[in-house]
Amino acid sequence: MREGSEAREWALILGVSSGTGAAIAEAVTHKPGLNVFGVHRGRYADGAAQLEQRIRDAGGRLVTWQADASTPEAAEAGVAALREVAGPRSVKLFVHSIAGASVGHFLSEGQDRLHARRIRRTFDTMAHSFVFWAQALVEADLLAPEARLLGLQNPLDETHLGNTGLISASKAALEMYVRYLAMELGPRGHRVNLLKFGTVMTPALKHVYSPEALARLEAAHARMNPAGRMSTVEEVARFVTVLAGEDAGWFNGATIDFTGGMTLRLLDLVLNS
């Protein structure tokens, strides 16, 4: 067997340049020791370059591919590019960590109306693309034995939050895709799961909210979470390394709750705060 990073199996990560995707890429480089093929849209190019250096320092390899990953054409082209560097049956882990949702209201008459183009775009990005890439990986014979396919979920499926109905709907579709793909890929030895976690601090979040709003967000999570704080991208990433390992091989078609009990106190906060 070849030595060094060239002998490693690969992780395919959509949304690799920042936030959760970047943290997962760095974590799986160390454990279980995977090279990373990362797809990103180019919004955080400096972050991608820094991530590449850290992965190289850890003895791994990061190959980035810049594209909008939400279309079937991008999935086919990206998987073809991955096959050129990784070879057949080499992808041990696939992580869907891209976002691109519209917020608003379905019946609004204003600018926040969720019209058809916004609905299609959100479902393509947040849900359908998981299927597009899974199909392309299978058709290209890229999945390694006992590969793990992982979607990311949030707790919005448990509650109602203002203008996020389209996000909740697309994540519900993603959950169904995970279940059905688990049934189809299970006999081949692969595992397909959904990891649900709470709000984490990311560059995208900092871009959307002002420092004052972020402070209020952190304070709210401190009251809500039993641990008294927000979770971190590093904690999520470390748990993904567990899911990529042999000990988690019996998870399949599961929505794994990694929220730290984030929603347990919601009713108490409403009634008693």
Side-chain angles (χ1 to χ4, degrees):
M1 180 177 287
R2 291 169 296 169
E3 296 181 356
S5 66
E6 296 301 319
R8 298 181 177 209
E9 291 179 309
W10 287 74
L12 166 61
I13 299 177
L14 308 185
V16 77
S17 62
S18 67
T20 308
I24 292 172
E26 190 167 0
V28 300
T29 298
H30 295 276
K31 177 188 176 183
L34 303 175
N35 286 330
V36 177
F37 186 92
V39 182
H40 69 100
R41 287 177 290 214
R43 294 179 180 175
Y44 301 100
D46 291 343
Q50 293 168 10
L51 175 65
E52 183 175 2
Q53 183 60 54
R54 292 195 301 272
I55 287 178
R56 187 184 302 117
D57 292 343
R61 182 182 179 192
L62 171 65
V63 176
T64 58
W65 194 72
Q66 187 173 331
D68 175 0
S70 66
T71 69
E73 294 78 16
E76 292 176 7
V79 164
L82 170 57
R83 201 175 194 277
E84 288 294 317
V85 298
R89 300 184 182 181
S90 59
V91 176
K92 188 68 173 181
L93 176 67
F94 165 51
V95 178
H96 183 277
S97 183
I98 55 173
S102 291
V103 295
H105 298 89
F106 296 109
L107 301 182
S108 172
E109 297 300 327
Q111 293 184 347
D112 66 337
R113 182 181 179 88
L114 294 170
H115 51 69
R117 182 177 59 82
R118 288 182 172 180
I119 293 172
R120 286 194 296 267
R121 173 66 178 169
T122 297
F123 270 82
D124 281 347
T125 303
M126 306 286 278
H128 302 336
S129 53
F130 187 83
V131 176
F132 300 153
W133 284 83
Q135 289 172 329
L137 286 167
V138 170
E139 290 168 4
D141 193 28
L142 265 178
L143 292 179
E146 300 181 3
R148 311 296 164 83
L149 291 79
L150 187 65
L152 303 183
Q153 173 66 297
N154 57 51
L156 291 177
D157 64 328
E158 302 176 17
T159 186
H160 175 275
L161 180 62
N163 57 359
T164 63
L166 186 53
I167 297 174
S168 298
S170 62
K171 286 296 189 178
L174 176 62
E175 185 169 9
M176 290 300 104
Y177 286 151
V178 164
R179 293 182 184 181
Y180 278 85
L181 284 169
M183 291 297 299
E184 294 191 35
L185 289 174
R188 305 186 188 201
H190 307 312
R191 302 290 180 259
V192 189
N193 292 295
L194 194 63
L195 179 61
K196 178 165 67 176
F197 56 95
T199 310
V200 291
M201 197 62 69
T202 65
L205 200 65
K206 293 177 182 177
H207 179 74
V208 171
Y209 292 102
S210 68
E212 294 78 14
L214 285 175
R216 291 194 299 270
L217 187 69
E218 287 194 275
H221 281 80
R223 293 192 304 272
M224 185 166 49
N225 287 332
R229 62 172 177 82
M230 294 174 66
S231 60
T232 69
V233 292
E234 290 79 15
E235 287 171 324
V236 174
R238 286 196 298 269
F239 188 65
V240 171
T241 70
V242 174
L243 295 178
E246 293 182 1
D247 292 342
W250 201 238
F251 279 117
N252 200 25
T255 298
I256 302 164
D257 191 316
F258 196 68
T259 63
M262 175 178 167
T263 61
L264 295 177
R265 289 196 63 204
L266 290 182
L267 187 59
D268 179 58
L269 288 171
V270 170
L271 296 179
N272 298 316
S273 295

